[in-house]
Every structure is written in structure tokens, then in C-alpha cells.
Amino acid sequence: MIDAELLTQRRPGSIKTFDHPWNGPGTDNGALVESHLQALIGYFSEHPQMALGAVFAAALLEALAVIGTVVPGSSIVFVGGMLVGLQALDPAWTAAAAVSGAVAGDSISYWLGHRHRERLRALWPVKAHPALFDRGQAYFAKNGGKSVFLARFLGPLRAVVPVIAGMSGLPAPQFYVFNVLSAMVWAAAHLAPGFFFGASLQLAGAVSSRLAVLVLLVAGALWLVAWVVAFLQRQARPRIEGWRDRAVAWASTRTNLPARILLSLFDPTRVESKALLAAALMLIGGAWLFFGVLEDVLSNDPLVQVDRRVYATLQTLRTAWGDNVMVAVTELGSAPVVISVITAVSLWLAAKRCWRTLGYWLAAAGFAQLLVRTLKFTLGRARPTGIYSGVDPFSFPSGHAAMNIVVYGFLAFLLARAKPAGTKIAITMSAAMVISLVAFSRLYLGAHWFSDVLASLSLGLAWVALLSIAYLNHVRHEKVSALPLSTVVGMTLALVGGWVVGEYHRADLVQYAYHPRNDTVPVADWRGDGWRGLASTRTDLGGDAEEPLSVQWAGPAEEVGGVLNRAGWHVPPPWAAKTALLWLLPNTPIEQLAVLPKLDYGEAQGMTFMKVLNVDERIVLRLWPSPYVVESDGAEPPRPLWIGMATIERLRHPAGLITLAATQHDFTTPLRRLAQDVHDQQGSAQLEERTGRVVLLVW
């Protein structure tokens, strides 16, 4: 019989794409607005140089003296990146346009300042912004030539610092080094998010109608957060600093515990106040996230469904090359390597007589290991696969992820303490990279569920933050030298890690190999009652039931497509820049509109077909691969089993401006229409109606 739990572990099969003609966008002889939009879309599709020109001009104007304070160049460059993600623009040319525009804008500003010097203050538009000009001069006086690089990312200052650099006589070679480097980083920082946003809309297998809305909401939220941060930086910072100063003045007159905590976190005269505040926020955030994940795991909330989908999705992406890399990464994060790092750091601290630091270091690793073991054996959660046995069969939380974030996180704190900002960033990013790679390797290799790793990272972050707060308050005179200790850790990783990888890699590749389950069910059992064991509704990432899964089809993809093609069904146009833009027009023919994918536990459909009913309606059939194959009674090979749904989509044209597709709640009519079409082409099909459930079986 069919095991319903396997439905969360479906692996996509081999999907054949059926060719369909592309007839180009249809023309409309009515609405004048639509004809203009059609012409505009066609023009930019065939003349991408116009978009590249816009990217160049936006980057140039944003860097131009004073004018850049009001030009939304960053937003236009982001749109350029989005067009790259939609495959409408060449990435190299787009990057070149953004970088060259930014370099040219700063160069013009530098030349104006170098040529006119102080006379520039009396010219428009500089004379209209004296306060901004004074801020720029103060910033340049403080930071020198590197302010040309830094100001590129500092809102209004980016439009005045190059001018001031020219007025101050900054040598041209030095200016152009900072100018070019900052332009490259700035362009990447704006093009990359746009690219990923555009790519998320381009990939039909990665979005659904609901997820597309979610992507737009996330993008809008990120833009709002960036705007709020910029606003606070420009407008609210003086007010916030005033509130802080009044709070510190109030706490300075008192000796109670709240006053001491307030002073330790907010007193600007205390060197460690910013570090304590950051640690306090990480402690609160990490603890809140851990207990939230723990609650979801204990109550079997939707996060558990996400676990299964993340596991199944990552297993479909595995390759021999990826397995080699991820097994090596997980070996570098294994117990022998981590214990060796702990031992080496302990010996170094003992040799330097940093006894209190040594105590905190051993407490960090020891308590983390004890807590992870206690949680594992208390909860007893099974792993995705039976990779481990004996003393470590349980999954929650991930020991690899927890120990690596505690060891390398607390080590990064010790190394970065009292160091310059650049050194702190380098140390933090290095530790974060190691921790992230090890955590991802556990997910990729199927050793843990997503919630296991998320819980471990949040728990480890909270523990490191708590230790950091205690350390900052009680250990004041022991200094850790970053370079020698980093060298010790690097040599330990190279020697012990290299030995572990060389010694165990071949065996670990076998242990972590993926073995997909592909259960066989006899056709008689499936047609009898076995079909009832498959999922009855499509389930979204939040765990909510959506449309009924009313189609079960046993057959290879080529056969399914052939039957439907003969019955007048065809594959809809694929998602691309042109087909996406067609949704912006109110009267595009329905057969030219791509179908919005839908997700079942995060997995997009493997095959999609449609049949046009009239100018505003079509039936859409979406099929997902299941983990079963149906075994026929004869000598034929087993046939893959697909499950899916047939729905009617009706087009809407709000205010005559765009096109929207609404899924109708009548699921019986499209199913019966599909059943009739299949029966006319292939006799082995039947409708099953039991306990209020209607399912079409095809074999």
C-alpha cells in the first residue's frame, strides 16, 4: 500500500519539455494605451542599449555634485540588475555601465572642485546647500582620501565629498584609486540584489502566485527598512542621541541595578558599551528564535513541513562534485577537528597565563556540548535518514552546527575585542563563513532537518552572547593577540583537518550517499484503495490546505504529454522577460500568458498543460512527481506516478490596465472535462468518487 509519509520526500523525475510555438505578442486595435505599451515593450526587448544608457546616466547623476542628493540612481541601477536576472540585459555590459557611470560622476565632481576651488561655494547649486557642504568638509578632514570610497555609500555625502577632494588638492592618482574601487563595490551592491530579485521572477519552478506576492512584499519591506535606516541616520540620530544622553545622565545619579545596566549599554564614554549592547540584542534574538523553533518541533507546526521540503529539495540538487566538497566541509567541522581546535587554543591561553579567558573558553565548549547532548536524548527526534547509530542517533539540535558556532563564534569575539573596525569585520566574516558552510553541509548531506540546524545556530548564538556579556564585565586585563592565536588555529585546522579528510573521506562519501526511496505499488492495489493514501490537497509552505489534488496519472512524461497534445492541450509559454511583461497588458491572448506555478510543500509542479476554453478562461493541469511507481500486471516496466490538479483560470482586467488570473473554486468541471479528453484518447482512465472526494485515475 501507499505510505502517506513518503509524500513529503518526492524527488522530481525526468521531465521532458514539449515545444510550443511562440507567436509573439498579440496586437490590439482598440486601446491606444495598450498599443503604446506593446511598442514600448518590443522596443526595449530589441534595444537593450537604452536600458544600459539609463543605468549609466543614473549612476553618473547620483555621483554628480549636489545633484546626486535628489537623483534616485540606486533604484534605477537595482532595476538594471533585475533586468539582468530576467535575462533581458547582458550582465557584463550592465555592470560596465553602472561602474563607468559612477566613476564618471565622481570624476566630474572632482574636476569641478579642482578647477573652481572656493569659488564653487558661490555657484548654484552648491550655494543652496551650505550645511551639506560643511558636513562634507568635516568628513573629508577626518578621513582623508579614503572618504572618497566611504562617502559613496553615505547618502547625501556621496555628492559632495568628491568635490571637496578636488578643492582640497587630493592627488589625482589617489582619488582615482578610491573612485574606481568604490564604484565597483557600489555597483555590485546594487546590481546583485536586483539580479536575484529578477531571477526569482524568471524561474517558473521557483515561484507561485502566492510566493511571487511574498517576493514583492519582501522586496518592499527591505526597501522600507533601508529608507527608515537612512531617515534615522539623517534626521532622527541627533534626537536619539539626545534621549540617550538624558537617560545616561539620569542613570549616573543612581546606583541600582537597572541604572548600572543602562550605563553599561548606552554610556558613550565606556569603550565596551557598543559591544555589550550588540551582545544583549544577540542574546535576546537567539533565545527567542530557539524557543520558537523548539515549540514548532514539539507541536509539529508548519516548520516541520518546511523541514521535509528543504530536505527533499536539497537531495534533488546533489551531485558527485557537491558531495565531495560538502563531505570535506562536514569533516572539518567534526568532533576530532573541533576538539583539536579547543585544545590548541586552551594550550595557547595557558601559555600566555590568560587563566580567566581559558575558563570562559572551556565553559563555552563544555556547556554547549552538555546542553546539546541533553536536548538530543530528551527529545529523541529522528534524523531524516539512518546515517548515524549507536550513541548519536538523534537529530535535534545539530551537534555540528552548535559546536562550530560556539567555538568559532566565541573565538571570533576574543580575537576581535579591542581591535580596529576593519579587523573586527574580517574576523567576524571569516568565522561566519566557516559556521555557515558547516551548517549548510549538514543540510545538504541529509544529516539534519532544517529546524535542527536553525535551533543550533540560535542556541549557540545566545550562549556566545551571554558569555560575551559576562566576559566584558569580569575580564578586563587579559588581552588576546589576534595574529598568533589565529595562526595556531589555522595550523590546527590544516594539520588535523587535512588528516581527518584524508583518512575518512572515502568512507564518509559512502555513509552520506543519498539513497532515494522509490516504492512500487501494484496497479490493482492502486486502483483499488491505494490511491486514497496519496495527499488529497495541495499544501503550501505554511501548512495550509489549498486546491484538491484530484488527478493521479501513472505514466512517463512523454506519454502524458502525447495523450494531452492529441486531446487539444498544450504546454503554456515558459516564464521569460517577454511573457512576464505580457501580464502588464489588458488584452493579451490567453494562450500567450505563462501559467503561474503553484507549490506543494515548496515544490513546484513538474509538468504543466493548459486548454483554452474562451478568450478569458482556460483549464490548467499541474502535475507533481510522487515517490511511487505503479507496477503493471504484464511485462511492462513500472510506470512513474504523478499527482496533480485541474483548475479553471479566469482572467480579470482591473481598470483595463493589467491582466490577473483568478483560480475558480469549481474543481469538478475541469476534472470531468479532463477525464473526457483523456478517455477519448486513452481508454484506461476512470473517475473515483468516494467519501466526498473525486479523483481521476489514468494509467
Side-chain angles (χ1 to χ4, degrees), residues 223-238:
W223 177 86
L224 180 61
V225 168
W227 182 87
V228 170
V229 170
F231 174 80
L232 293 177
Q233 180 72 18
R234 294 193 306 267
Q235 306 294 334
R237 182 176 178 179

mmCIF file of all heavy atoms in Angstrom, residues 223-238:
data_model
loop_
_atom_site.group_PDB
_atom_site.id
_atom_site.type_symbol
_atom_site.label_atom_id
_atom_site.label_comp_id
_atom_site.label_asym_id
_atom_site.label_seq_id
_atom_site.Cartn_x
_atom_site.Cartn_y
_atom_site.Cartn_z
ATOM 1 N N TRP A 223 13.180 47.533 1.061
ATOM 2 C CA TRP A 223 13.307 48.930 0.655
ATOM 3 C C TRP A 223 12.848 49.848 1.777
ATOM 4 O O TRP A 223 13.489 50.872 2.048
ATOM 5 C CB TRP A 223 12.473 49.183 -0.593
ATOM 6 C CG TRP A 223 12.501 50.625 -1.016
ATOM 7 C CD1 TRP A 223 13.421 51.236 -1.808
ATOM 8 C CD2 TRP A 223 11.561 51.646 -0.633
ATOM 9 N NE1 TRP A 223 13.117 52.573 -1.949
ATOM 10 C CE2 TRP A 223 11.975 52.854 -1.243
ATOM 11 C CE3 TRP A 223 10.403 51.643 0.156
ATOM 12 C CZ2 TRP A 223 11.278 54.041 -1.079
ATOM 13 C CZ3 TRP A 223 9.703 52.833 0.322
ATOM 14 C CH2 TRP A 223 10.138 54.017 -0.296
ATOM 15 N N LEU A 224 11.743 49.488 2.446
ATOM 16 C CA LEU A 224 11.237 50.315 3.535
ATOM 17 C C LEU A 224 12.240 50.367 4.688
ATOM 18 O O LEU A 224 12.477 51.436 5.272
ATOM 19 C CB LEU A 224 9.898 49.767 4.026
ATOM 20 C CG LEU A 224 9.235 50.537 5.176
ATOM 21 C CD1 LEU A 224 8.933 51.969 4.753
ATOM 22 C CD2 LEU A 224 7.961 49.837 5.632
ATOM 23 N N VAL A 225 12.838 49.204 5.003
ATOM 24 C CA VAL A 225 13.832 49.176 6.082
ATOM 25 C C VAL A 225 15.024 50.057 5.717
ATOM 26 O O VAL A 225 15.522 50.832 6.547
ATOM 27 C CB VAL A 225 14.287 47.725 6.350
ATOM 28 C CG1 VAL A 225 15.518 47.703 7.251
ATOM 29 C CG2 VAL A 225 13.160 46.932 6.984
ATOM 30 N N ALA A 226 15.487 49.952 4.463
ATOM 31 C CA ALA A 226 16.617 50.782 4.036
ATOM 32 C C ALA A 226 16.264 52.264 4.119
ATOM 33 O O ALA A 226 17.088 53.083 4.553
ATOM 34 C CB ALA A 226 17.024 50.408 2.608
ATOM 35 N N TRP A 227 15.036 52.594 3.729
ATOM 36 C CA TRP A 227 14.620 54.001 3.789
ATOM 37 C C TRP A 227 14.547 54.479 5.233
ATOM 38 O O TRP A 227 14.971 55.597 5.550
ATOM 39 C CB TRP A 227 13.261 54.161 3.120
ATOM 40 C CG TRP A 227 12.789 55.586 3.095
ATOM 41 C CD1 TRP A 227 13.067 56.535 2.162
ATOM 42 C CD2 TRP A 227 11.961 56.224 4.090
ATOM 43 N NE1 TRP A 227 12.469 57.724 2.496
ATOM 44 C CE2 TRP A 227 11.785 57.569 3.677
ATOM 45 C CE3 TRP A 227 11.363 55.794 5.272
ATOM 46 C CZ2 TRP A 227 11.027 58.468 4.406
ATOM 47 C CZ3 TRP A 227 10.608 56.692 6.003
ATOM 48 C CH2 TRP A 227 10.440 58.012 5.568
ATOM 49 N N VAL A 228 14.000 53.646 6.108
ATOM 50 C CA VAL A 228 13.886 54.027 7.518
ATOM 51 C C VAL A 228 15.269 54.217 8.135
ATOM 52 O O VAL A 228 15.507 55.181 8.875
ATOM 53 C CB VAL A 228 13.076 52.972 8.297
ATOM 54 C CG1 VAL A 228 13.170 53.226 9.800
ATOM 55 C CG2 VAL A 228 11.615 53.004 7.863
ATOM 56 N N VAL A 229 16.195 53.286 7.808
ATOM 57 C CA VAL A 229 17.552 53.412 8.346
ATOM 58 C C VAL A 229 18.205 54.700 7.863
ATOM 59 O O VAL A 229 18.842 55.431 8.640
ATOM 60 C CB VAL A 229 18.399 52.179 7.951
ATOM 61 C CG1 VAL A 229 19.866 52.401 8.286
ATOM 62 C CG2 VAL A 229 17.873 50.940 8.655
ATOM 63 N N ALA A 230 18.047 54.979 6.566
ATOM 64 C CA ALA A 230 18.621 56.213 6.035
ATOM 65 C C ALA A 230 17.977 57.443 6.670
ATOM 66 O O ALA A 230 18.658 58.429 6.987
ATOM 67 C CB ALA A 230 18.442 56.248 4.515
ATOM 68 N N PHE A 231 16.667 57.384 6.882
ATOM 69 C CA PHE A 231 15.975 58.505 7.508
ATOM 70 C C PHE A 231 16.453 58.720 8.941
ATOM 71 O O PHE A 231 16.698 59.863 9.369
ATOM 72 C CB PHE A 231 14.464 58.244 7.492
ATOM 73 C CG PHE A 231 13.669 59.274 8.246
ATOM 74 C CD1 PHE A 231 13.369 60.504 7.659
ATOM 75 C CD2 PHE A 231 13.220 59.036 9.537
ATOM 76 C CE1 PHE A 231 12.641 61.459 8.356
ATOM 77 C CE2 PHE A 231 12.501 59.973 10.237
ATOM 78 C CZ PHE A 231 12.206 61.200 9.640
ATOM 79 N N LEU A 232 16.584 57.610 9.669
ATOM 80 C CA LEU A 232 17.064 57.728 11.053
ATOM 81 C C LEU A 232 18.485 58.281 11.091
ATOM 82 O O LEU A 232 18.833 59.067 11.983
ATOM 83 C CB LEU A 232 17.005 56.365 11.738
ATOM 84 C CG LEU A 232 15.604 55.793 11.988
ATOM 85 C CD1 LEU A 232 15.704 54.403 12.606
ATOM 86 C CD2 LEU A 232 14.798 56.713 12.903
ATOM 87 N N GLN A 233 19.293 57.835 10.110
ATOM 88 C CA GLN A 233 20.670 58.320 10.072
ATOM 89 C C GLN A 233 20.717 59.826 9.846
ATOM 90 O O GLN A 233 21.514 60.536 10.465
ATOM 91 C CB GLN A 233 21.440 57.587 8.964
ATOM 92 C CG GLN A 233 22.885 57.994 8.810
ATOM 93 C CD GLN A 233 23.755 57.484 9.940
ATOM 94 O OE1 GLN A 233 23.366 56.576 10.657
ATOM 95 N NE2 GLN A 233 24.937 58.078 10.107
ATOM 96 N N ARG A 234 19.823 60.321 8.974
ATOM 97 C CA ARG A 234 19.866 61.742 8.622
ATOM 98 C C ARG A 234 19.101 62.617 9.619
ATOM 99 O O ARG A 234 19.566 63.691 9.982
ATOM 100 C CB ARG A 234 19.267 61.950 7.228
ATOM 101 C CG ARG A 234 20.055 61.329 6.112
ATOM 102 C CD ARG A 234 19.567 61.861 4.769
ATOM 103 N NE ARG A 234 18.136 61.695 4.615
ATOM 104 C CZ ARG A 234 17.561 60.644 4.035
ATOM 105 N NH1 ARG A 234 18.328 59.682 3.563
ATOM 106 N NH2 ARG A 234 16.249 60.561 3.914
ATOM 107 N N GLN A 235 17.913 62.160 10.018
ATOM 108 C CA GLN A 235 17.008 63.026 10.760
ATOM 109 C C GLN A 235 16.905 62.693 12.250
ATOM 110 O O GLN A 235 16.914 63.596 13.092
ATOM 111 C CB GLN A 235 15.602 62.951 10.133
ATOM 112 C CG GLN A 235 15.568 63.248 8.650
ATOM 113 C CD GLN A 235 15.944 64.679 8.334
ATOM 114 O OE1 GLN A 235 15.774 65.574 9.164
ATOM 115 N NE2 GLN A 235 16.451 64.904 7.126
ATOM 116 N N ALA A 236 16.767 61.385 12.545
ATOM 117 C CA ALA A 236 16.444 61.020 13.924
ATOM 118 C C ALA A 236 17.671 60.780 14.802
ATOM 119 O O ALA A 236 17.536 60.709 16.027
ATOM 120 C CB ALA A 236 15.570 59.757 13.931
ATOM 121 N N ARG A 237 18.849 60.628 14.194
ATOM 122 C CA ARG A 237 20.026 60.318 15.000
ATOM 123 C C ARG A 237 20.300 61.375 16.069
ATOM 124 O O ARG A 237 20.550 61.014 17.228
ATOM 125 C CB ARG A 237 21.238 60.135 14.086
ATOM 126 C CG ARG A 237 22.498 59.764 14.849
ATOM 127 C CD ARG A 237 23.656 59.503 13.906
ATOM 128 N NE ARG A 237 24.863 59.191 14.638
ATOM 129 C CZ ARG A 237 26.028 58.909 14.062
ATOM 130 N NH1 ARG A 237 26.112 58.890 12.735
ATOM 131 N NH2 ARG A 237 27.088 58.639 14.799
ATOM 132 N N PRO A 238 20.264 62.684 15.741
ATOM 133 C CA PRO A 238 20.500 63.665 16.814
ATOM 134 C C PRO A 238 19.492 63.554 17.954
ATOM 135 O O PRO A 238 19.857 63.697 19.133
ATOM 136 C CB PRO A 238 20.370 65.010 16.086
ATOM 137 C CG PRO A 238 20.652 64.691 14.656
ATOM 138 C CD PRO A 238 20.087 63.336 14.440
#
